[in-house]
Every structure is written in structure tokens, then in C-alpha cells.
Amino acid sequence: MSPNAASLSLKGLWIYTVAMMVLLIWSGIAPYERSTWLMEVAPVLIALPLLLATHRRFPLTPLLYGLIALHMAVLILGGHYTYARVPLGHWMQQWFGFERNHYDRIGHLMQGFVPAIVARELLLRLTPLARPEMRGGWLFTLVTAVCLAISALYELIEWGAAEALGGGADEFLGTQGDPFDTQKDMFCAWLGAMAAQWLLARWHDRQLHALTGGSDRGNR
């Protein structure tokens, strides 16, 4: 099986792209706050062209493309409503009696869950960690560390936005008055990173094997 046949087809990737663009256009129509919307959807605007540009030379597993699309949808919804106002979070408040809208916790859980599979795929395809004797706990540890680093970087970006915009960054920060919001966000990313590896590792390994035709570093 050729690598391209084992990955998402270009047609499939375009379907994902069109779906995300439709969602982006909808979210950009009268968002709660325009500057917050732009900051929240910026990763989507960067990732979509990058995925299209690299599809032929470095196709990803279908699992990873699907996870990235799901993460994009979470970001886009958060951008339109702001994380403190997404209806799903309000419904969760009513159902579970939460004191606040927890949609931002979902966002930060995804910030660990999806990058974990991104990091895992890159490490297994581009580094010696693909070799069975090199895996062990190192792969799990490094993937988790990468996700925590991404989460920390995002929190630093939020801090920078707060310094630059002052009160105008409140909607982007989404702390909802919680003084420990940063720590809880990183904790959610940490949980997401570990959960992704525990739940998806075998599925991911099968797709990686099919994608590389058994010629990845781990099978040499």
C-alpha cells in the first residue's frame, strides 16, 4: 500500500478544509468580540494552509487529520462566542451544577489531547524513538512534555495579550474570576495529553504502519 493510499485523500482533506472554512465564515459573522475571535482562530488560519501544502510530501494519518479538524472546530466556536459564553458550556453548567462555563476546560483538554498525537506522529516518523528498543517510557514522557510546553507557551501568549491589551484581553483570557485558571488550564492539557496516548496509541500505531508501509524507523 502506498503512503498516500493509507492517508486521508486530497479530496478528503479538501472536504475537511471546506467544512472548516464554512464554520470560520459563520463564526466571523458578528462574533461577540472581533479581536478575541481573531486571536482564537489564528491557529486555524495557520494550520489549514500548512496541512494542504504538506499533504503530498508528508501526509498524516487519517486519525490525526480528524483530530486536528475537531480541535479547529473547538477553537472556532470559542472564537465566535468567547469561551465563557459558548452554549455547550452553559448547558454543562445547568446539567452538572457547575459554578462557571467550563467550555474553556474542554479547549485546554484538547490542547493536550490533539498535540499529543501530533507530537507522537512526528517523533515516531522522524526520530530514533520509533525503534522498539528506544520507545519504553521515553515516548510517553516526551510527548507529554511537549504538550505541557505548548500549554505553557499558550499561557505566556495570554499573559502577553493581557499586558498589551489591558482590559481588552479579558475575553481572550477567559479566567472568569478564577485566580488559578492558568494552573487548571495546564492541568487539563496534561490530562488530555496522557488520555490521548492511553486511548489512541494502538489505533495510531496501526495507521502509522499502514501509512509508512512498514518502512518507518521502528520497522527497519
Side-chain angles (χ1 to χ4, degrees):
M1 182 183 294
S2 68
N4 284 339
S7 180
L8 189 71
S9 68
L10 184 59
K11 179 181 179 181
L13 182 57
W14 271 110
I15 291 174
Y16 277 170
T17 301
V18 171
M20 291 302 105
M21 289 303 299
V22 170
L23 195 57
L24 262 176
I25 292 170
W26 164 81
S27 73
I29 298 174
Y32 184 83
E33 187 175 278
R34 179 66 61 183
S35 61
T36 299
W37 173 82
L38 185 59
M39 287 188 287
E40 296 292 359
V41 304
V44 179
L45 299 176
I46 295 169
L48 276 177
L50 183 62
L51 292 175
L52 288 169
T54 59
H55 180 267
R56 186 175 297 276
R57 288 185 57 192
F58 196 80
L60 305 175
T61 56
L63 172 63
L64 183 50
Y65 280 124
L67 288 173
I68 291 172
L70 179 61
H71 197 182
M72 287 180 178
V74 170
L75 292 171
I76 291 170
L77 286 175
H80 178 77
Y81 292 105
T82 75
Y83 279 81
R85 295 175 176 81
V86 175
L88 175 60
H90 289 315
W91 298 334
M92 290 168 61
Q93 273 185 282
Q94 296 171 4
W95 294 338
F96 300 108
F98 293 146
E99 295 182 357
R100 55 170 280 167
N101 186 318
H102 278 302
Y103 184 81
D104 67 319
R105 302 291 186 233
I106 296 175
H108 285 278
L109 190 74
M110 291 294 288
Q111 194 182 70
F113 197 90
V114 178
I117 303 304
V118 175
R120 194 174 190 276
E121 184 148 329
L122 294 178
L123 287 171
L124 286 175
R125 294 176 67 180
L126 300 175
T127 77
L129 281 173
R131 298 201 299 269
E133 67 273 17
M134 294 292 290
R135 288 196 186 189
W138 282 110
L139 178 63
F140 189 95
T141 300
L142 284 175
V143 167
T144 305
V146 167
C147 294
L148 281 172
I150 292 171
S151 179
L153 177 61
Y154 190 82
E155 296 300 330
L156 290 174
I157 292 172
E158 287 189 342
W159 171 49
E163 290 291 333
L165 302 176
D170 288 347
E171 299 300 339
F172 180 57
L173 295 175
T175 60
Q176 299 181 65
D178 187 348
F180 299 107
D181 186 70
T182 295
Q183 291 84 350
K184 292 176 182 177
D185 287 347
M186 293 184 67
F187 179 71
C188 286
W190 178 52
L191 290 180
M194 293 190 295
Q197 294 177 87
W198 287 329
L199 297 173
L200 303 178
R202 291 186 178 181
W203 184 9
H204 190 219
D205 283 342
R206 289 194 296 269
Q207 291 199 358
L208 279 172
H209 185 80
L211 180 64
T212 60
S215 63
D216 57 294
R217 291 175 183 261
N219 290 282
R220 289 179 183 175

